[in-house]
Amino acid sequence: MTFREVIRKLNNRYVYATLLFLIVILFIDQFNLFDQFKLSRSLKDKKQQIEYYEKLVPESKAYLEALQTDTTTMEKVAREQYLMKRDNEVIYLIETKE
C-alpha cells in the first residue's frame, strides 16, 4: 500500500467525524483530559489529607481529655499559650531572632 492509497482511504467523512469527536472530547469538552488529570491528582491529595487528619484525631482527643481533667495540663496551657500568671509572679518574655 502506497502513501497515496492510505491518504485516499483516510479522506472520507467518517475519519473527519472521528477526528473531530476526539478533539472535542480530549481538549474542548467540559470534562476534557487535562481537567480529569488535575481532578484525579487533587483527589489523591485530599485522600492523603483525610488519612493525616484521621491519624491526628486520637491524639487530639487524648489532649482534650487531659485538658479537661488534669489541672497541671490546664495550668501549662494557660501559662504557655495565654501568658497567664499567678498574682505573685512576674513574667519575662525573651524573643529571639531566627
Side-chain angles (χ1 to χ4, degrees), residues 58-75:
E59 296 172 10
S60 298
K61 283 185 180 180
Y63 183 66
L64 178 64
E65 182 67 28
L67 273 178
Q68 292 174 345
T69 58
D70 190 17
T71 56
T72 57
T73 306
M74 281 189 261
E75 184 177 349

Side-chain angles (χ1 to χ4, degrees), residues 12-97:
N12 63 38
R13 61 182 166 184
Y14 299 114
V15 173
Y16 293 143
T18 304
L19 288 175
L20 180 66
F21 175 75
L22 288 174
I23 288 172
V24 167
I25 293 297
L26 293 177
F27 301 108
I28 300 173
D29 190 35
Q30 179 183 2
F31 303 107
N32 62 33
L33 191 64
F34 302 114
D35 288 343
Q36 292 301 319
F37 284 132
K38 287 181 204 173
L39 289 174
S40 67
R41 190 176 333 124
S42 174
L43 180 65
K44 186 191 299 184
D45 292 342
K46 298 300 179 191
K47 284 182 180 180
Q48 288 176 349
Q49 286 180 352
I50 288 171
E51 290 175 6
Y52 169 75
Y53 287 119
E54 284 177 347
K55 290 178 184 176
L56 199 64
V57 166
E59 296 172 10
S60 298
K61 283 185 180 180
Y63 183 66
L64 178 64
E65 182 67 28
L67 273 178
Q68 292 174 345
T69 58
D70 190 17
T71 56
T72 57
T73 306
M74 281 189 261
E75 184 177 349
K76 179 182 175 187
V77 169
R79 287 175 176 269
E80 290 176 359
Q81 292 184 0
Y82 300 107
L83 300 177
M84 294 183 174
K85 64 181 183 81
R86 293 192 178 135
D87 291 334
N88 58 354
E89 291 180 334
V90 177
I91 295 178
Y92 295 103
L93 294 178
I94 301 173
E95 295 181 8
T96 59
K97 293 183 181 179

